[in-house]
Amino acid sequence: MKKTIFILWISLLNLNLNFAQTKLKKLSILKEKEVEILIITDKKTYHIGDTIHLKIQFKNITKNDFTIAYREGSFHFLQLLYFQNDKKLLQAGKCREKIAPLGFFEKDYHKLKAKSKLEFELNLEIINFPINRACFEEQFYKSGYGIICDRHGVLFKKLNEIKIALNYNIHFPSSPTESKHSAYYTQKNVWNQALNSNTLKIKIRE
C-alpha cells in the first residue's frame, strides 16, 4: 500500500513539473519581443517657441502581419511620459478628446506587415505660461514652461534636460461589448500587449 502511494505521489509530482514547465514555456513565448516601438526627434536642443517634431515608429520583427491601433493627432500625448530631474512632470490643461464610444474608430487601425515599419508624427510645442489657449486655465499656470500638443500639456519650472518615453498600453477588447459592436470586431490579429519605447533626452533653452 505504501509503495502504491509513493508511486502515485511521484507520478503527481512529475505531472505538476510538466505542467509548470509548459506554463513557463507559454509565458516565455508571450514575453518574446515581436513589435518594437521607437520615438525619434529631429534634434536634441530646443528653445521656447520651438516645435518638437516627434516620430513614433512601430517595427514588426516577425514573419507575421499585425494590426496596430493608433489614432493620429494628440491622442497619444497622454501616453508620453515626461521626466525632469527624475520627477514626472505634472499635466497641464483639462481638455477631452473625442473618442469612439467603444474603443477606436475604423480608421485608427493600421496594418503592420511582417518585417516592416509604421511611422507616425506627433508635433509638440514648447511654450511659456501664461498662454491664451483653450482648456488651459490661467489661474493654475501663471508662470513656468510647458510642452503642449493641441489642448493637452505638461508643466515644468526649469530650463534643462527633459526625458521623454512612450508607454503604449492598449488592451482589446476594453469592454465586454467592444468585441461585438466596435470597429475592433472587424479587425484581425490586433496587437494586444503593452510596449515601452526608448527614452529620449532633450535640452530646452530660453
Side-chain angles (χ1 to χ4, degrees):
M1 182 67 178
K2 288 182 179 180
K3 186 176 181 181
T4 304
I5 292 172
F6 179 73
I7 292 171
L8 181 62
W9 181 78
I10 291 294
S11 298
L12 287 172
L13 183 62
N14 287 333
L15 185 64
N16 286 334
L17 284 173
N18 289 333
F19 175 77
Q21 286 174 356
T22 304
K23 191 174 180 181
L24 284 172
K25 188 176 180 181
K26 286 182 178 179
L27 286 173
S28 65
I29 290 172
L30 289 175
K31 289 181 180 179
E32 286 179 2
K33 190 175 287 187
E34 296 176 332
V35 176
E36 294 178 341
I37 188 167
L38 180 69
I39 54 175
I40 309 162
T41 54
D42 52 333
K43 53 185 180 179
K44 295 298 180 184
T45 301
Y46 296 89
H47 297 83
I48 301 300
D50 285 350
T51 298
I52 302 172
H53 299 287
L54 188 71
K55 289 184 179 179
I56 300 171
Q57 184 185 96
F58 291 90
K59 182 180 179 182
N60 184 351
I61 59 176
T62 72
K63 296 179 180 178
N64 303 312
D65 293 346
F66 292 112
T67 297
I68 294 292
Y70 187 91
R71 180 173 300 138
E72 296 190 62
S74 63
F75 180 82
H76 283 280
F77 181 87
L78 298 176
Q79 291 184 304
L80 287 170
L81 306 174
Y82 303 84
F83 294 91
Q84 190 176 61
N85 298 326
D86 295 325
K87 292 184 179 179
K88 190 175 179 180
L89 298 186
L90 298 175
Q91 291 289 324
K94 295 184 177 181
C95 299
R96 290 187 178 181
E97 189 166 0
K98 185 179 178 181
I99 60 173
L102 295 169
F104 286 84
F105 296 107
E106 193 75 47
K107 65 180 180 179
D108 297 328
Y109 293 95
H110 307 270
K111 182 61 69 70
L112 181 57
K113 294 184 178 180
K115 303 293 183 180
S116 69
K117 298 177 185 177
L118 271 180
E119 199 168 81
F120 302 93
E121 291 189 2
L122 186 61
N123 292 326
L124 314 177
E125 186 182 351
I126 306 173
I127 54 96
N128 248 330
F129 283 116
I131 182 173
N132 185 15
R133 191 71 61 91
C135 291
F136 289 98
E137 300 183 17
E138 298 294 329
Q139 65 268 30
F140 294 135
Y141 314 116
K142 292 182 179 179
S143 65
Y145 309 98
I147 297 176
I148 65 173
C149 180
D150 294 337
R151 296 174 298 173
H152 302 284
V154 291
L155 179 70
F156 59 99
K157 294 292 185 182
K158 296 181 179 180
L159 296 174
N160 57 17
E161 186 178 84
I162 288 179
K163 295 178 182 178
I164 305 175
L166 178 66
N167 178 25
Y168 178 89
N169 192 10
I170 298 171
H171 297 282
F172 295 102
S174 63
S175 70
T177 55
E178 184 176 17
S179 60
K180 294 181 180 179
H181 303 294
S182 76
Y184 168 73
Y185 185 67
T186 66
Q187 302 298 319
K188 293 182 179 178
N189 204 18
V190 180
W191 179 253
N192 199 23
Q193 292 185 27
L195 293 172
N196 293 311
S197 76
N198 57 310
T199 301
L200 285 176
K201 295 180 182 179
I202 61 171
K203 292 181 180 178
I204 300 180
R205 300 285 184 252
E206 191 63 59

